[in-house]
Amino acid sequence: MAGLAATLGSGAMTNSVEDLSEAEVMLVIGSNNTETHPVIGMRLRNAARYRGAKIIVVDPRRTGLVDDSVLWLSPPPGYDIAIVNAMAHVILEEGLHNEDYIEEKTEGFEEFKKALVPYTPEYAEELTGVPAKDILKAARLYGSANKAAILYCMGITQHSKGTDNVKSLSNLALLCGQMGKRGSGVNPLRGQNNVQGACDMGGLPNVFTGYQKVGLPEVQGKFEKHWGVELSDKVGLTVVEMSNQMMEGNVKALYVMGENPLVTDPDLTHVEEAFEKLDLLVVQDIFLTETARAADVVLPATSFAEKDGTFSNTERRVQLVRKALDPPGSARLDWEILADISTRMGYEMSYSSGQDVFEEIREVTPQYAGITYKRLGREGLQWPCPDEKHPGTPILHTKGVTRGSALFVPIEFRPPAEVPDAEYPFVLTTGRDYYQYHSATMTGRVKLLRDACPESYLEMSPEDADKLGVSDMSVVKVSSRRGHVIARIKITPNLSAGIVFKKFHFYEGAVNRLTNPVLDPTSKIPELKVTAVRIEKHDGPAPEPESQGMCLM
Amino acid sequence: MLMEKNKMDIFINGKEIKVSEDETILSAARREKIHIPTLCYMEKLLPIGSCRLCVVEVEGCEKPVAACKTPVVPEMKVSTDTQRLRDMRREILSFILMTHPLECDQCELKGVCTLELLAKEYGVEAPASGVTSPRPRTAEFSTPAIIYKPYRCIACGRCVSACQEVVGRAVLALKGEGIGAAMEVVNADKCISCGECLSVCPVAALADAGMNELDHSDKGKRPKKTQTVCTYCGVGCTFDLNVVDGKAVGVTTNHNIGTNKGSLCVKGRFGYRFVNSPDRLTTPLIRKNGKLVEATWDEALDLVAKKLTSIKKDSGPDSITGLTSAKCTNEDNYVFQKFMRAVIGTNNVDHCARL
Ligand code: SF4
Ligand code: SF4
Ligand code: FES
């Protein structure tokens, strides 16, 4: 979320689900939320159906929300900036921008304005194939609304220039002063249930808790004092950099808590090789995942149902997780295992409970300082919540943005790192399914969910299927510059010719054997959404989804 | 505060009440804590008006009206508890109980069921001759996740409205007349197994199939409910996890709280079942001669501590990396990064947020 942090000073969702449904216009871009964030998807659709909200969908696929939208723009994956810049161009041209807001609350406008000059709707049409008149219409809708909100998801961030994508959206919102009020803002929908919390807690190589920067003397000093040890001021490695350094022999050990990188990381074959070079792989999880099977030590942990603690959702709402069950066998709490190892390594950690840990979090994290378990109650609290009297913050930037004045950043369109060519003529993009979740470690064990989405097909348009001479359930070999997988075909009218789609949940035929690990230079997010591939008919059988132990029904 | 223009006065049971023009009699009464019984009404749905239990008398109207559907009018005088209304409600309840058996002892809603409580309040009992139910005990539903028990259906229409208005799917409809009336599946293809219908059914005619598995041995056992947060996506829906005998058997929701206000998707409503899986890891494992074998906690943790210490000594703290988790709690994440930073001495900590 580096894009928003740079332009606004905070990388989180600016608004809340509740107020967003008041927006008159919603620009939903790169977010198939009817599948990925179903309950938000329901709210958006109802806003359209019952409150007359006008939804504009920008997505290469015909997503579920398109049925309830007034406009669907479908640029190829990786071409969003061209569209967003052209919308801003039109808004300026037609005087729909908010001069007062720009004057009072922002900086960098003149440069931004200059950079927009070439982005006429006609030029954007040339780049993306989206009709100029649709871009014009989208710009006028967004630009003339009193309350207009932008929502986006991995479709925007999982690109080699994801940070630029986000900044271009932030530019658009600032241009129209759509910030700091109900039904507005720039709203990244976070994928996994506690991604927000993992980031808030400093589960990132460049920040401590609350986004306090590694390397700043006052931050280093604060944590050194609090933790009573000297700390490294060198920014650490990101996921993808870690496996690169394993290949180089510079990284010898990896400790994994509750993640399954051997399914979810890009360019899997490379990651597998890298893991083999490790001297020590420790995996702490609730199931024997693909990654755990490769481990030297596996530590049994507890699920959400067996622990007390907090999660922070996509709208920055910190909520209590409460223990409903005892852990199975001798499984232990995640933090308890870590504290135990820590003590065995000579650094005593003796927390008595989750609440005890939370008290320490409050002390070192300004955004969480006013939150207590007691105050969380049944509804939770939205950070920032600086003191115990503070009611929490459902909408950010109501009194100007966090960084002082909001920053316009001129953004140039650049094509994705891999574009289709004669050898790899299709664009493959990836995503999730409504019935499955991440690497399917949990959902794959619920028969209902497994049955509803048993394997991940390669989805393609009827035109492409005709051209290749394949039909539903045909078996094909999909190859990229990095590897290949075998998959069955599913034909769908929801894709345009030249674009194919595969879900990433399953180890069998894992789409991440194909994906490109090229990183966004700032956010270090890999370009999972755009891979050039070749598709050929295949004679052998398709991989059968391995049957995981299923529980109940 | 400024007095809004469209405020007006009405009288309920003689009490003067300020209301705004877009209110119904029921919403005004609820705000004033005046009790009007309801069965089909739900705040998050448009008024259905099917049960008629909310009847009230309005001065000047000959027939009683449904409070949930009747908008306020200036100076209107409403009575909520006359003999005539009590008789009407008794009649309505007797009619419902002609088909809905009062087998409350075997019902998961015992003690909290509105119908059970109203029957008690109005002194209405099951018909002496037993129920006349033209409807089967179970019928096929639009998803295997939910069991439909038509014999319990009171045709209130909540599930129909919820599926249509909240989920936008229109899978269900009310069919039949009089005592034959019941819900039917009309659009099974559209069902997304979200369980919104199940969450609004006032009489447990729809039930989590997971709960049903327990019926044989644990019939009538009341689940213990613990409010918690869904473990799947970033919406962070809140719900109560229901547990019987140390086993998760279902989730129930509260329609007034959280980001989700009682709604869930299929993963939140039914995805909890993985916690009961026999595949759960229950003991530490250590690789010996290429194979993962069971170990004690002491063995496993000593091994990890020893190896990390020696790698740190030989190759430096930056040769050690850690992936923390977007599925774990804030507390787990905090301790993880503290462990990497303070104990190992590196900032090599990341998670799969980017993926
Ligand atoms: S499960 Fe959801 S979609 Fe299916 S019938 Fe019930 S409310 Fe409708
Ligand atoms: S119930 Fe569905 S929408 Fe709600 S948090 Fe869980 S996965 Fe997300
Ligand atoms: S509550 Fe008014 S008719 Fe049912």
Side-chain angles (χ1 to χ4, degrees):
Chain A
M1 301 296 131
L4 286 188
T7 59
L8 306 175
S10 167
M13 198 165 154
T14 57
N15 288 53
S16 298
V17 176
E18 183 259 335
D19 77 81
L20 281 178
S21 43
E22 278 179 22
E24 293 159 25
V25 171
M26 299 185 202
L27 178 64
V28 179
I29 179 162
S31 164
N32 182 13
N33 52 57
T34 33
E35 302 233 4
T36 57
H37 298 79
V39 167
I40 291 182
M42 287 178 203
R43 296 288 185 269
L44 299 189
R45 195 181 38 221
N46 289 347
R49 287 191 187 171
Y50 300 108
R51 297 198 205 188
K54 298 193 177 74
I55 296 180
I56 305 165
V57 176
V58 182
D59 205 300
R61 299 162 63 209
R62 189 186 166 92
T63 59
L65 204 57
V66 169
D67 286 339
D68 289 284
S69 69
V70 292
L71 195 58
W72 170 40
L73 313 184
S74 100
Y79 285 74
D80 306 283
I81 288 176
I83 303 277
V84 176
N85 276 359
M87 283 177 68
H89 177 103
V90 174
I91 286 171
L92 263 175
E93 190 95 317
E94 304 198 348
L96 297 171
H97 56 297
N98 185 334
E99 268 170 38
D100 293 347
Y101 186 88
I102 296 169
E103 177 75 42
E104 283 163 32
K105 305 270 173 65
T106 70
E107 57 186 90
F109 178 64
E110 287 309 320
E111 246 170 278
F112 165 66
K113 195 170 154 182
K114 231 182 281 150
L116 279 184
V117 174
Y119 290 93
T120 61
E122 291 70 27
Y123 177 49
E125 171 168 352
E126 227 170 85
L127 291 172
T128 64
V130 174
K133 67 169 186 359
D134 286 352
I135 300 175
L136 208 67
K137 195 171 162 203
R140 286 177 184 153
L141 275 170
Y142 182 85
S144 38
N146 285 318
K147 292 183 193 171
I150 298 172
L151 291 96
Y152 68 90
C153 199
M154 294 299 192
I156 279 294
T157 51
Q158 282 178 350
H159 289 284
S160 57
K161 58 210 173 340
T163 307
D164 280 357
N165 280 344
V166 173
K167 287 180 182 163
S168 72
L169 291 173
S170 159
N171 286 338
L172 186 63
L174 296 177
L175 185 62
C176 298
Q178 293 295 350
M179 195 61 72
K181 56 185 186 185
R182 294 180 69 81
S184 75
V186 186
N187 297 283
L189 302 180
R190 311 304 304 264
Q192 304 188 58
N193 79 323
N194 201 34
V195 178
Q196 186 67 52
C199 294
D200 296 351
M201 290 304 107
L204 295 167
N206 60 337
V207 289
F208 291 89
T209 69
Y211 309 95
Q212 302 172 81
K213 286 209 174 69
V214 166
L216 286 185
E218 63 273 25
V219 173
Q220 296 291 132
K222 169 178 169 177
F223 281 91
E224 286 181 348
K225 187 157 156 257
H226 219 97
W227 293 344
V229 284
E230 224 177 281
L231 297 170
S232 162
D233 58 3
K234 192 174 133 216
V235 168
L237 302 172
T238 63
V239 186
V240 175
E241 291 169 338
M242 285 176 192
S243 41
N244 292 340
Q245 291 304 313
M246 288 171 204
M247 286 303 270
E248 301 288 313
N250 297 330
V251 164
K252 309 268 187 225
L254 172 65
Y255 195 124
V256 182
M257 171 172 86
E259 295 273 6
N260 196 6
L262 285 184
V263 176
T264 54
D265 280 13
D267 196 1
L268 262 187
T269 314
H270 166 85
V271 176
E272 281 168 353
E273 274 171 44
F275 277 32
E276 271 164 30
K277 295 214 152 63
L278 288 169
D279 291 343
L280 176 68
L281 175 61
V282 181
V283 174
Q284 178 172 317
D285 210 318
I286 61 174
F287 288 113
L288 198 62
T289 61
E290 290 77 5
T291 310
R293 273 179 227 158
D296 300 298
V297 183
V298 179
L299 304 171
T302 38
S303 80
F304 80 110
E306 296 131 20
K307 53 173 90 166
D308 285 319
T310 54
F311 285 149
S312 303
N313 81 351
T314 187
E315 41 168 31
R316 297 169 279 104
R317 188 191 292 261
V318 184
Q319 305 188 90
L320 278 180
V321 178
R322 294 182 182 83
K323 180 179 171 190
L325 287 167
D326 287 327
S330 71
R332 299 176 66 186
L333 298 171
D334 285 283
W335 62 259
E336 215 177 56
I337 300 171
L338 293 159
D340 196 337
I341 297 173
S342 174
T343 305
R344 282 168 207 249
M345 288 178 72
Y347 183 100
E348 167 111 16
M349 279 197 205
S350 52
Y351 302 107
S352 60
S353 64
Q355 184 161 11
D356 200 17
V357 178
F358 194 83
E359 286 300 312
E360 183 173 320
I361 294 173
R362 290 178 60 197
E363 277 171 44
V364 294
T365 315
Q367 296 92 326
Y368 281 65
I371 304 176
T372 63
Y373 270 27
K374 185 145 177 266
R375 286 192 73 196
L376 287 176
R378 283 168 70 71
E379 296 257 27
L381 274 170
Q382 286 171 277
W383 68 257
C385 181
D387 61 69
E388 281 188 47
K389 295 261 152 19
H390 194 282
T393 311
I395 302 176
L396 292 179
H397 316 308
T398 48
K399 301 191 186 83
V401 303
T402 311
R403 76 179 284 280
S405 84
L407 191 62
F408 279 106
V409 185
I411 300 294
E412 291 296 340
F413 168 77
R414 286 176 289 131
E418 255 187 25
V419 289
D421 55 20
E423 209 182 333
Y424 298 99
F426 291 90
V427 175
L428 168 77
T429 184
T430 66
R432 292 163 197 257
D433 183 84
Y434 171 70
Y435 291 97
Q436 290 293 346
Y437 176 77
H438 228 63
S439 64
T441 329
M442 300 185 289
T443 47
R445 288 186 166 78
V446 181
K447 185 168 182 297
L448 169 75
L449 302 176
R450 186 89 193 186
D451 286 353
C453 172
E455 65 177 274
S456 81
Y457 301 97
L458 183 76
E459 301 181 21
M460 75 167 51
S461 68
E463 296 94 301
D464 286 342
D466 266 358
K467 231 190 310 170
L468 287 170
V470 294
S471 46
D472 267 331
M473 300 305 275
S474 299
V475 180
V476 294
K477 179 173 164 193
V478 191
S479 331
S480 77
R481 291 189 170 81
R482 286 156 297 277
H484 71 267
V485 299
I486 307 295
R488 271 194 257 268
I489 291 285
K490 189 165 145 193
I491 299 173
T492 164
N494 299 339
L495 284 169
S496 321
I499 300 170
V500 293
F501 173 80
K502 199 166 190 298
K503 292 162 183 167
F504 73 78
H505 305 289
F506 302 110
Y507 184 70
E508 306 86 27
V511 70
N512 282 327
R513 297 218 176 270
L514 308 172
T515 45
N516 192 349
V518 55
L519 301 180
D520 176 283
T522 315
S523 72
K524 307 281 170 68
I525 300 182
E527 182 145 75
L528 294 182
K529 294 293 180 198
V530 190
T531 308
V533 296
R534 177 173 65 226
I535 303 169
E536 297 147 303
K537 284 197 206 167
H538 179 78
D539 284 335
E544 284 304 324
E546 202 174 315
S547 74
Q548 314 218 23
M550 291 181 185
C551 65
L552 283 171
M553 55 156 302
Chain B
M1 246 211 340
L2 274 175
M3 187 70 194
E4 283 167 48
K5 274 185 243 91
N6 48 4
K7 286 269 172 184
M8 58 174 91
D9 290 330
I10 67 166
F11 299 85
I12 303 184
N13 301 339
K15 186 176 175 203
E16 185 175 335
I17 293 167
K18 282 247 175 302
V19 296
S20 50
E21 66 183 359
D22 54 359
E23 274 189 283
T24 60
I25 299 177
L26 182 66
S27 63
R30 288 222 165 149
R31 194 158 22 78
E32 293 296 319
K33 307 240 171 341
I34 298 169
H35 172 63
I36 299 177
T38 59
L39 205 46
C40 68
Y41 177 80
M42 281 192 87
E43 212 172 287
K44 74 175 189 183
L45 303 175
L46 297 170
I48 303 168
S50 64
C51 76
R52 314 272 318 160
L53 270 173
C54 66
V55 279
V56 295
E57 298 201 68
V58 176
E59 206 177 273
C61 295
E62 198 202 315
K63 280 199 187 144
V65 298
C68 68
K69 274 200 133 170
T70 309
V72 292
V73 179
E75 303 297 317
M76 93 195 299
K77 295 190 176 58
V78 180
S79 310
T80 66
D81 202 22
T82 63
Q83 190 54 47
R84 181 178 177 206
L85 293 174
R86 294 188 69 83
D87 289 344
M88 282 181 75
R89 291 181 189 141
R90 210 169 282 126
E91 210 172 294
I92 293 166
L93 288 167
S94 310
F95 182 76
I96 294 173
L97 295 183
M98 278 170 70
T99 54
H100 181 95
L102 283 179
E103 302 167 347
C104 304
D105 282 338
Q106 291 160 42
C107 179
E108 54 272 35
L109 289 182
K110 182 175 167 54
V112 291
C113 167
T114 320
L115 181 59
E116 179 194 3
L117 299 177
L118 282 172
K120 276 204 189 106
E121 183 187 339
Y122 284 86
V124 183
E125 279 166 20
S129 52
V131 296
T132 43
S133 181
R135 288 181 245 127
R137 303 282 294 184
T138 58
E140 183 119 4
F141 197 58
S142 50
T143 162
I146 296 172
I147 308 257
Y148 177 31
K149 304 176 178 171
Y151 76 102
R152 286 181 175 175
C153 176
I154 58 170
C156 66
R158 275 185 178 191
C159 57
V160 175
S161 293
C163 183
Q164 162 78 40
E165 288 167 28
V166 180
V167 195
R169 308 305 288 194
V171 175
L172 313 173
L174 285 183
K175 288 280 171 79
E177 293 282 322
I179 62 166
M183 175 270 282
E184 255 177 46
V185 176
V186 291
N187 237 332
D189 293 355
K190 289 230 144 140
C191 179
I192 54 167
S193 305
C194 68
E196 187 79 24
C197 50
L198 159 103
S199 79
V200 299
C201 180
V203 292
L206 294 171
D208 186 333
M211 178 75 193
N212 206 55
E213 296 229 328
L214 288 172
D215 269 0
H216 323 286
S217 51
D218 300 296
K219 210 167 228 164
K221 272 201 185 145
R222 298 296 311 283
K224 190 179 124 251
K225 297 182 182 220
T226 309
Q227 191 193 344
T228 189
V229 182
C230 178
T231 187
Y232 291 105
C233 87
V235 182
C237 296
T238 179
F239 55 69
D240 292 345
L241 189 61
N242 293 359
V243 170
V244 173
D245 285 344
K247 216 171 168 189
V249 295
V251 309
T252 45
T253 47
N254 184 315
H255 294 285
N256 306 316
I257 62 170
T259 306
N260 55 316
K261 305 270 180 277
S263 302
L264 295 172
C265 78
V266 63
K267 296 186 284 296
R269 188 85 61 185
F270 303 109
Y272 67 86
R273 290 171 185 164
F274 77 88
V275 305
N276 301 328
S277 166
D279 291 358
R280 288 286 303 273
L281 288 170
T282 54
T283 170
L285 306 171
I286 291 180
R287 190 168 299 279
K288 279 189 189 151
N289 304 323
K291 269 208 170 125
L292 283 172
V293 295
E294 295 194 354
T296 66
W297 275 104
D298 273 331
E299 274 177 87
L301 296 185
D302 279 339
L303 181 66
V304 173
K306 205 180 85 214
K307 282 213 165 176
L308 285 175
T309 308
S310 78
I311 293 173
K312 179 176 162 180
K313 197 165 132 256
D314 297 344
S315 315
D318 286 336
S319 68
I320 300 174
T321 54
L323 288 180
T324 186
S325 174
K327 292 182 207 93
C328 290
T329 61
N330 290 332
E331 291 73 3
D332 297 332
N333 276 286
Y334 177 80
V335 174
F336 191 93
Q337 57 93 37
K338 181 174 176 184
F339 173 74
M340 292 303 294
R341 293 188 157 117
V343 185
I344 304 289
T346 179
N347 288 304
N348 287 339
V349 49
D350 199 8
H351 65 284
C352 295
R354 299 181 175 81
L355 308 177

